[in-house]
Amino acid sequence: MKIKIISLFILAFGFSQSKINEVTEGKERLLILTADNGKGAQSIELTITGLVSSESVNLNRFEVIDRNQLEKILSEQKLQMSGIIRDDEVVSYGEIASAGEALIVSILSFGQKGVPPKESDSEKKKNSGFFWERIGTELAVGVIRSMFSNEKDREEKWPHNIQTSLQAEVRKINVESGKSLHSFRVYGEHTGGTRAASLSRVLNQVHRQISTKLRRMFLLKSEILARDGSKVTMLLGSELGMKKGSIFEILKPDVHRTINRREFILPGESAGLVRVSNSGTDASEGKIVRQWRELEEGYSLVEKPQYFGGWNFSGVYNESINEKRIDIGYEFLPFSRFSFTVGGAVGVVTDSRNDTDFKASLTGGINFRFIHTHFFSFGTSLSLPFSLIFRQDEQHENVHKFQFTPTIGLNTEFLVSRTKDIVLGVHYILADKSDKWVYTKGEGDEVTNIPGQWDGDTPSVKPEGLYLKIGIRFINF
């Protein structure tokens, strides 16, 4: 087994790599510092820097050197850090710590203040009738507060409804050149609770953003070592942060061209997507989930740290009620056997009086794929549409009725390009739960539903038979 792994690594590095898609070869030292350390150990700068450090460690791609470790290195060399860190000092500190790159965390804005709670409409009505009583109460409360409360309480009028806002920047610097390579900003805002509770909510928001944006800043770059059908062996493993479920884009080799004696490197064309199915120490296994060009061993792999989804646009027809509609939905986890869809639809149906009615729906559903390859899939679905059907009654009132029609279906998808699939489906309604035709009168709390007026039989909309669907899906990457 060791001989096999060694031979795979020799094969991998036998291919020429351009600077555009160099394979991640090992952990690099990463220095993480705050731009200003002059506010004490409890400052928000150090809190955000701690989040950046912990997420960098979780990525498992670096040897992270934080301020404490750097100060220890400097003390051994009888040096000392300054309060405000300049870019040229980052270069010096990075060289001392043998780090190739550094992250500098800056707080652009931060504030906490109490704000008056929002009143509900009922409270506004109630309070509007007692203006003078409220004035007297506020004066009395103000006198009591000034007599018995401490200075901090007097400064904060709404201590249990604190509004916290935070904006920070993380900048990546090349230690050797001192140049800024990349930066991103994180934002957070929350209103409610005490200072500590409000700040905690904001830090949770910022933490999630840091996790996502750090992965995008430091992408893993791998290579296909071997291929067997839809299965591939990939360079790199858990030692460098390869995780099960991660998606990588497959790229053809870069193209080298010489124009007027100058050499240019053109990025290789995209060929497909592969998902990590099993991660070893130094190599991983993956499955091709989407392929639109031929691919070979030696092709590059670049991490795609994003949430994939797909927009579905479909035309649907049912003969029994002459229903024609347009469905628009968004699918989560489109490359998995299980996926989820939410969306809506608009169209027309023919009722029992042979009149054309307008229909609008909101729906949610789950899909399961029996067959799932990199260019074709086939499976079943269950959707739960809630619909409103509109028409006029005999008194020319605009009436409507609710309809709930749980539906099962068979679907198939064919890949036609990098981001597009053709979708075909056959659906069948399991049950039809409909309400009565009504129209509304009144406003606000006085709205009432009045039954529609009909001469003879009440019109009905009872779908039967099969629904035929054809559409297109756009994958968002």
Side-chain angles (χ1 to χ4, degrees):
M1 183 63 183
K2 289 184 178 179
I3 296 175
K4 183 177 180 181
I5 293 294
I6 292 172
S7 65
L8 286 174
F9 272 79
I10 294 173
L11 174 66
F13 288 102
F15 292 96
S16 74
Q17 295 290 331
S18 72
K19 292 185 178 181
I20 294 179
N21 289 316
E22 288 182 338
V23 172
T24 306
E25 296 183 4
K27 289 186 178 182
E28 295 184 2
R29 289 194 134 197
L30 180 66
L31 180 63
I32 301 178
L33 298 171
T34 58
D36 187 353
N37 192 36
K39 298 183 181 179
Q42 302 301 319
S43 68
I44 191 66
E45 286 91 343
L46 294 185
T47 302
I48 300 301
T49 304
L51 294 179
V52 173
S53 297
S54 65
E55 283 305 313
S56 298
V57 171
N58 289 338
L59 283 177
N60 204 27
R61 301 172 190 183
F62 313 99
E63 279 186 56
V64 176
I65 305 169
D66 59 18
R67 178 176 286 270
N68 293 331
Q69 293 168 305
L70 180 60
E71 287 179 342
K72 183 179 179 180
I73 296 172
L74 293 175
S75 65
E76 291 174 354
Q77 301 187 28
K78 298 181 180 182
L79 299 172
Q80 188 175 2
M81 295 185 68
S82 61
I84 299 176
I85 298 176
R86 303 187 307 271
D87 286 2
D88 58 340
E89 290 179 316
V90 173
V91 174
S92 300
Y93 295 148
E95 290 174 349
I96 292 171
S98 301
E101 294 177 331
L103 294 182
I104 307 300
V105 180
S106 306
I107 302 301
L108 303 180
S109 64
F110 173 68
Q112 288 189 290
K113 64 179 181 179
V115 296
K118 292 183 178 179
E119 292 183 336
S120 64
D121 293 338
S122 59
E123 288 177 334
K124 288 180 180 178
K125 283 186 178 181
K126 181 179 178 181
N127 293 335
S128 63
F130 300 95
F131 176 75
W132 293 109
E133 288 87 346
R134 289 169 59 208
I135 291 294
T137 302
E138 289 293 334
L139 288 174
V141 170
V143 172
I144 294 171
R145 183 183 291 118
S146 64
M147 293 174 60
F148 298 103
S149 63
N150 58 36
E151 186 67 27
K152 186 175 181 179
D153 291 335
R154 289 199 295 270
E155 290 177 358
E156 188 54 78
K157 189 175 180 181
W158 296 283
H160 297 288
N161 196 52
I162 300 297
Q163 182 183 74
T164 303
S165 61
L166 169 67
Q167 181 178 354
E169 181 183 59
V170 179
R171 191 158 49 99
K172 181 169 72 170
I173 292 179
N174 182 289
V175 169
E176 184 178 352
S177 64
K179 294 182 179 180
S180 294
L181 302 176
H182 186 69
S183 68
F184 64 81
R185 293 186 178 185
V186 291
Y187 309 85
E189 184 172 341
H190 178 75
T191 301
T194 62
R195 286 181 177 271
S198 182
L199 177 59
S200 178
R201 292 289 189 91
V202 168
L203 291 178
N204 285 337
Q205 297 173 21
V206 169
H207 193 182
R208 290 191 293 269
Q209 296 174 47
I210 289 173
S211 177
T212 300
K213 293 183 178 182
L214 273 180
R215 287 176 64 87
R216 293 176 180 173
M217 180 180 280
F218 297 100
L219 297 177
L220 281 178
K221 297 179 180 179
S222 181
E223 190 172 290
I224 296 178
L225 301 178
R227 179 188 179 186
D228 181 14
S230 62
K231 297 180 180 180
V232 296
T233 301
M234 308 163 60
L235 184 63
L236 306 184
S238 58
E239 186 69 22
L240 280 172
M242 291 280 274
K243 294 182 178 180
K244 182 179 178 179
S246 298
I247 299 289
F248 283 74
E249 185 172 10
I250 307 169
L251 300 173
K252 296 175 67 175
D254 300 329
V255 178
H256 295 251
R257 290 187 178 176
T258 302
I259 302 176
N260 295 329
R261 298 182 179 179
R262 291 183 58 189
E263 185 177 8
F264 295 88
I265 302 176
L266 304 179
E269 294 179 321
S270 177
L273 296 175
V274 60
R275 179 171 51 210
V276 178
S277 56
N278 185 32
S279 180
T281 303
D282 298 313
S284 301
E285 295 177 348
K287 179 182 178 181
I288 301 170
V289 295
R290 196 170 178 84
Q291 179 186 340
W292 48 90
R293 285 192 178 92
E294 291 296 324
L295 56 89
E296 300 175 4
E297 297 174 1
Y299 278 18
S300 300
L301 299 169
V302 179
E303 188 179 17
K304 300 288 287 186
Q306 66 183 74
Y307 297 101
F308 290 90
W311 285 100
N312 291 284
F313 299 88
S314 304
V316 179
Y317 176 72
N318 174 268
E319 186 178 7
S320 67
I321 54 174
N322 195 28
E323 180 174 357
K324 307 179 188 73
R325 72 171 191 259
I326 299 296
D327 288 7
I328 301 175
Y330 188 81
E331 184 178 3
F332 300 89
L333 308 176
F335 305 143
S336 302
R337 286 193 178 273
F338 279 101
S339 66
F340 305 90
T341 303
V342 294
V346 292
V348 293
V349 297
T350 303
D351 59 33
S352 58
R353 291 190 172 191
N354 209 30
D355 294 329
T356 300
D357 306 334
F358 177 76
K359 182 177 180 180
S361 307
L362 292 176
T363 185
I366 184 171
N367 309 300
F368 176 73
R369 297 175 173 90
F370 304 113
I371 302 173
H372 189 207
T373 70
H374 54 271
F375 64 91
F376 166 80
S377 67
F378 175 77
T380 186
S381 64
L382 171 65
S383 58
L384 304 173
F386 294 85
S387 305
L388 268 178
I389 304 174
F390 301 87
R391 60 160 295 155
Q392 286 189 338
D393 67 1
E394 306 293 358
Q395 305 300 320
H396 300 289
E397 296 286 352
N398 293 318
V399 296
H400 63 269
K401 67 182 298 186
F402 287 98
Q403 188 177 55
F404 174 56
T405 51
T407 305
I408 60 171
L410 295 175
N411 306 283
T412 185
E413 300 146 350
F414 299 91
L415 181 145
V416 293
S417 71
R418 178 175 181 266
T419 59
K420 299 181 186 68
D421 298 331
I422 295 296
V423 180
L424 304 175
V426 178
H427 296 171
Y428 179 78
I429 291 179
L430 296 174
D432 176 16
K433 302 294 182 181
S434 298
D435 205 351
K436 295 180 179 180
W437 295 101
V438 296
Y439 62 94
T440 58
K441 276 197 172 183
E443 295 182 358
D445 297 334
E446 300 178 354
V447 170
T448 57
N449 289 329
I450 301 174
Q453 302 298 314
W454 309 101
D455 295 333
D457 294 335
T458 301
S460 62
V461 180
K462 296 183 178 180
E464 298 176 348
L466 299 176
Y467 280 77
L468 304 179
K469 180 176 84 169
I470 181 170
I472 187 169
R473 181 175 69 173
F474 297 90
I475 304 297
N476 61 336
F477 79 95

